[in-house]
Amino acid sequence: MNERSKPTIWKKIGHIESLVYSDTVPIKDLAIWETKEHVTPQEASKQTFKPYALGSEWGRPWASAWFRARFALPASLAGRNAVARITTGGEAVAFIRHTPVVGLNQHRDEVPVPKNARPGRRFEILVEAGANDAFGGLVALPRATRAEIAAVREEVRQLCYDLRFLFDAMENLDRSSARSAEILHLLEEAVGSFDFDAPDPDKEAGRVRRILRPLFARQANASSTEATLSGHAHIDVAWKWPLAETTRKCARTFSSVVAYMDRFPEFRFTQTQA
């Protein structure tokens, strides 16, 4: 097995990942309002917001920052798989028309924009962000680092998921096994054949994904078991945070779950708390 090729494969996966977003446009109208109270989005929308500069510190223990992002949909993104990418630096939930639509955190920063939206249509997104981390800590004041809209190349993203999954699987298998060697060989073929100059990166990603299908279609071995996975969340009603934070966590978690169910009808979710 050519172990020396692994860093090259990982680097190329990163290069492919850089193609997930395109036609990025900054959101220039970004403002903030901070409070120690737990308020509704209707109440927050009536407050006096101040302009916010990306990278500025915000927050206090168990306080909320409400970010307001306003933008008009550029013609270059109309009819495409467009998202607003908002990274607040804390656990957050995005509201559109006072309805929670998705939770935002260090792993997820996308707020979907309707595909049928016409060029020039104006949007206002409210984001309630907590200054504390997922387990109630406040080590340093958070900073919002991203506010932009962009088009998502979904097939490119799915290819990155496939490649990362296989790379991790290979790293955790016995390095002398035939299975590990097979994965390495096909990963080399896949990333090596990806054409970064292709006019349609999504179409190119779909072609490369077909190279990987045999690895996903075949069982690990004749006696391997089959696992059924389900989305899951465990939310402590009152643990290391005030009860108001539990309400926020529910909004973040369940809005994301509903969004996933709308997007992926086969998705299932379990909740272990009353």
Side-chain angles (χ1 to χ4, degrees):
M1 184 186 303
N2 184 8
E3 293 283 336
R4 291 176 297 178
S5 66
K6 288 184 179 180
T8 301
I9 293 172
W10 188 250
K11 186 176 181 179
K12 286 188 177 181
I13 292 174
H15 289 165
I16 295 172
E17 202 164 42
S18 70
L19 300 176
V20 170
Y21 299 100
S22 68
D23 299 288
T24 300
V25 178
I27 296 175
K28 297 181 179 180
D29 189 351
L30 183 65
I32 188 172
W33 173 68
E34 296 188 64
T35 179
K36 287 280 286 186
E37 304 298 323
H38 181 216
V39 303
T40 66
Q42 290 89 338
E43 293 170 320
S45 65
K46 299 175 184 177
Q47 306 304 315
T48 302
F49 283 72
K50 299 184 299 183
Y52 177 82
L54 287 177
S56 302
E57 290 182 342
W58 61 269
R60 291 170 289 168
W62 302 122
S64 286
W66 285 84
F67 291 89
R68 186 187 66 197
R70 289 173 169 171
F71 60 91
L73 185 66
S76 61
L77 297 178
R80 301 175 66 185
N81 185 19
V83 296
R85 301 185 69 197
I86 301 175
T87 305
T88 65
E91 280 200 313
V93 59
F95 296 85
I96 295 180
R97 295 179 180 175
H98 303 155
T99 299
V101 292
V102 69
L104 305 174
N105 54 41
Q106 61 179 327
H107 305 294
R108 182 175 54 245
D109 64 5
E110 296 180 5
V111 183
V113 175
K115 283 188 177 181
N116 59 357
R118 295 182 178 181
R121 174 178 168 181
R122 298 200 62 81
F123 288 89
E124 178 177 293
I125 298 174
L126 287 176
V127 177
E128 182 190 24
N132 302 83
D133 64 20
F135 297 100
L138 178 60
V139 178
L141 292 180
R143 302 170 187 263
T145 57
R146 177 182 284 117
E148 62 192 28
I149 46 179
V152 180
R153 295 186 176 113
E154 193 59 44
E155 195 67 18
V156 174
R157 174 151 59 192
Q158 295 303 320
L159 172 61
C160 291
Y161 288 156
D162 289 349
L163 293 171
R164 285 181 176 273
F165 177 87
L166 290 171
F167 192 95
D168 287 346
M170 174 184 64
E171 287 288 85
N172 286 280
L173 288 170
D174 182 349
R175 298 195 175 191
S176 64
S177 70
R179 183 71 163 178
S180 181
E182 179 188 29
I183 293 175
L184 177 59
H185 173 72
L186 275 183
L187 281 176
E188 285 180 320
E189 180 183 349
V191 300
S193 71
F194 189 91
D195 182 3
F196 287 90
D197 296 319
D200 187 342
D202 261 338
K203 185 176 180 179
E204 177 65 7
R207 182 190 67 78
V208 175
R209 290 188 75 195
R210 289 191 288 274
I211 297 175
L212 302 173
R213 281 180 184 172
L215 288 175
F216 289 101
R218 191 169 65 258
Q219 287 183 291
N221 54 62
S223 61
S224 62
T225 58
E226 182 175 299
T228 299
L229 306 180
S230 170
H232 169 262
H234 175 93
I235 298 176
D236 289 286
V237 175
W239 183 38
K240 293 184 177 182
W241 47 72
L243 191 58
E245 184 65 12
T246 303
T247 303
R248 298 188 186 103
K249 284 183 176 289
C250 286
R252 298 165 193 155
T253 301
F254 299 138
S255 62
S256 299
V257 168
V258 171
Y260 288 148
M261 287 180 169
D262 287 342
R263 184 177 172 191
F264 305 106
E266 70 278 13
F267 176 66
R268 296 293 182 268
F269 175 77
T270 57
Q271 171 64 28
T272 57
Q273 206 76 351

